[in-house]
Amino acid sequence: MAINQLQNTVTLNNGVKMPQLGLGVYKAQEGKEAESAVSHAIKTGYRSIDTAAVYQNEESVGKAVRESGIPREDLFITTKVWNSDQGYDSTLQAFETSLTKLGLDYVDLYLVHWPVPGKYKETYKALEKLYKDGRVRVIGVSNFQPHHLDDLLADAEIVPAVNQVELHPLLSQQPLREYCSSKGIYVEAWSPLARGGFFDDPVLQKIAAKYGKSPAQVILRWDIQHNIITIPKSVTPSRIEENMQIFDFELTPDEMAMIDAMNKDERTGADPDNFNF
Ligand code: NAD
């Protein structure tokens, strides 16, 4: 596969194209850190950035995007409504705040960050309004289990285009992936590298050595071949570059199966059925 497939896109259920690889900016500090990471990523070819109101770096993300020199329509910006803002009116307000901080005219993808019990349906209704009003190009959810989606879909007018969930080889989310695929919902992996927690795994090490790649690149390649959208985070220029060099090799079906077999249903983050924030 050629390097120029870096800007590989998937077509979401409303026809909008989204880059399959993006930069995550959770814990990138507002100011120079977040701004430099986003500018470096865009300079080196990334076209998708994943932020959230709760990351408190939307201003820096927006500044880097606006100053990138890349036409706005060629970039794909995701942000999310935080739990304390859930509810219909408060979500509409939170959206305006995010848009102002970003300094943009629209957001590409707006997500319900967590399925806050008793609130996520009203929150999603606000997203539907934003979508119908043309303020966002795509709407979706995050950390939704199949039962949350069943509940949401019972009343939703618009099927979410994306469900962003924790996903990596130790938590491969196969049943959720099958469920989402049956509903036309793309799965997007957060913490795709499990925050660097298992790079010493012998299976990954062996596959990485074969291709002259790093374990991080092998994991991200596994995402790509599973048709998963992935958003590894880094603020280190060399790693930002490394994480996009994943379009010039291809894992064999056996190697894909070996990585699949690493699954332990092991979360590094909160459980969507039992979180307290
Ligand atoms: P990640 O799995 O992307 O890991 C990031 C960490 O891995 C980095 O801080 C760095 O320490 C290390 N790393 C990155 N590239 C590396 C490389 N090439 N070699 C060695 N180490 C490397 O973790 P994440 O930041 O939790 O997740 C990615 C993004 O997903 C976030 O930035 C955020 O945008 C999103 N996210 C969303 C939710 C949600 O609830 N929707 C939750 C967590 C994260």
Side-chain angles (χ1 to χ4, degrees):
M1 282 198 188
I3 280 277
N4 65 11
Q5 282 187 304
L6 167 63
Q7 287 155 26
N8 234 26
T9 55
V10 298
T11 303
L12 303 174
N13 63 13
N14 66 347
V16 168
K17 290 187 189 330
M18 175 173 185
Q20 203 181 347
L21 172 73
L23 179 76
V25 295
Y26 177 48
K27 290 197 172 156
Q29 273 198 320
E30 179 91 288
K32 199 171 177 313
E33 186 175 75
E35 216 179 297
S36 306
V38 174
S39 325
H40 189 73
I42 296 176
K43 221 171 271 157
T44 53
Y46 287 72
R47 290 295 174 265
S48 166
I49 310 291
D50 182 86
T51 184
V54 75
Y55 303 168
Q56 298 188 321
N57 56 21
E58 288 170 312
E59 285 181 32
S60 306
V61 168
K63 184 161 188 277
V65 163
R66 292 192 313 274
E67 293 177 359
S68 67
I70 302 294
R72 173 68 185 91
E73 63 271 22
D74 292 344
L75 294 165
F76 193 99
I77 311 303
T78 300
T79 192
K80 318 181 188 91
V81 53
W82 185 238
N83 300 353
S84 52
D85 285 321
Q86 287 202 28
Y88 187 82
D89 291 331
S90 42
T91 294
L92 294 178
Q93 271 168 27
F95 176 77
E96 298 305 331
T97 304
S98 282
L99 204 60
T100 303
K101 285 189 174 168
L102 286 163
L104 300 176
D105 298 330
Y106 65 89
V107 162
D108 292 278
L109 174 60
Y110 199 42
L111 300 175
V112 180
H113 207 145
W114 286 85
V116 174
K119 293 223 171 142
Y120 62 78
K121 285 175 103 165
E122 284 305 302
T123 305
Y124 190 74
K125 282 202 190 314
L127 266 59
E128 291 182 322
K129 173 168 172 53
L130 292 167
Y131 179 76
K132 286 187 221 156
D133 290 350
R135 314 291 307 281
V136 297
R137 296 175 68 220
V138 187
I139 54 175
V141 296
S142 177
N143 299 301
F144 276 47
Q145 303 275 44
H147 72 89
H148 296 118
L149 284 162
D150 279 338
D151 183 39
L152 189 78
L153 291 171
D155 300 316
E157 285 178 64
I158 300 163
V159 177
V162 169
N163 185 15
Q164 184 184 111
V165 295
E166 181 178 351
L167 195 162
H168 42 73
L170 304 184
L171 178 69
S172 63
Q173 301 267 28
Q174 176 77 22
L176 179 73
R177 275 157 49 204
E178 279 168 20
Y179 173 95
C180 286
S181 165
S182 75
K183 305 285 180 192
I185 301 169
Y186 251 96
V187 171
E188 179 175 23
W190 66 252
S191 287
L193 304 174
R195 299 182 180 152
F198 61 106
F199 290 163
D200 56 356
D201 180 277
V203 169
L204 291 178
Q205 291 275 350
K206 190 166 167 226
I207 299 173
K210 172 180 160 190
Y211 293 103
K213 292 285 176 180
S214 67
Q217 290 170 317
V218 170
I219 297 166
L220 298 171
R221 181 71 213 173
W222 173 82
D223 288 337
I224 297 296
Q225 289 183 215
H226 269 317
N227 208 21
I228 293 164
I229 300 166
T230 189
I231 45 168
K233 180 250 178 173
S234 180
V235 294
T236 308
S238 59
R239 287 176 172 172
I240 291 174
E241 290 165 33
E242 180 185 321
N243 292 346
M244 65 182 216
Q245 304 297 334
I246 56 171
F247 295 98
D248 57 352
F249 73 114
E250 191 157 356
L251 301 170
T252 65
D254 278 356
E255 289 160 350
M256 289 294 285
M258 282 160 75
I259 303 173
D260 289 341
M262 289 172 62
N263 178 50
K264 293 184 184 158
D265 290 335
E266 197 172 289
R267 290 183 188 280
T268 61
D271 181 344
D273 281 320
N274 186 21
F275 61 98
N276 60 1
F277 48 85

